Amino acid sequence: MASTSGFFGGIAGNPADVINVRMQHDPALPASQRRNYKNALDGLLRMTREEGPRSLFRGVWPNSLRAVLMTASQLASYDFLKTLLIRKAGMQDDWTAHLAASIGAGFVATT
């Protein structure tokens, strides 16, 4: 289930990733090659208009595979850490255990 949600999340979020990368890289380009998007929405609209809707999904497969791995590892580590904290560390199943497990899972997912 985690892999499936990660996969579809990667597909849904891909246009935002593409425009984010373009906007961050724009200042490094020579002035004649800069896109000079006003904002993310302007970038998405111009990409669609000038390059077609397929441009929003460049790199969708690597992005979706990354999302699969990240989501699966984050959910698995969250469940493992929460169980460990409750059973071995004596924590209650309340917000503190959820917070601690979430922080640990976030650490696992980003490394």
Side-chain angles (χ1 to χ4, degrees), residues 5-15 17 57 60 63-68:
S5 64
F7 180 75
F8 286 115
I11 292 172
N14 200 74
D17 282 345
F57 294 96
V60 71
N63 190 34
S64 295
L65 292 175
R66 178 194 58 82
V68 164

Side-chain angles (χ1 to χ4, degrees), residues 39-100:
N39 52 51
L41 184 59
D42 176 56
L44 292 170
L45 293 172
R46 282 184 45 200
M47 279 178 63
T48 304
R49 194 176 320 117
E50 296 167 10
E51 301 172 46
R54 293 185 73 187
S55 67
L56 300 174
F57 294 96
R58 288 202 174 110
V60 71
W61 298 118
N63 190 34
S64 295
L65 292 175
R66 178 194 58 82
V68 164
L69 296 172
M70 184 178 270
T71 304
S73 69
Q74 190 170 14
L75 289 176
S77 60
Y78 172 82
D79 286 341
F80 172 77
L81 290 169
K82 188 177 90 164
T83 301
L84 186 71
L85 290 169
I86 292 169
R87 290 186 184 165
K88 302 290 184 188
M91 294 182 82
Q92 298 295 316
D93 190 1
D94 60 8
W95 71 271
T96 57
H98 293 277
L99 178 63

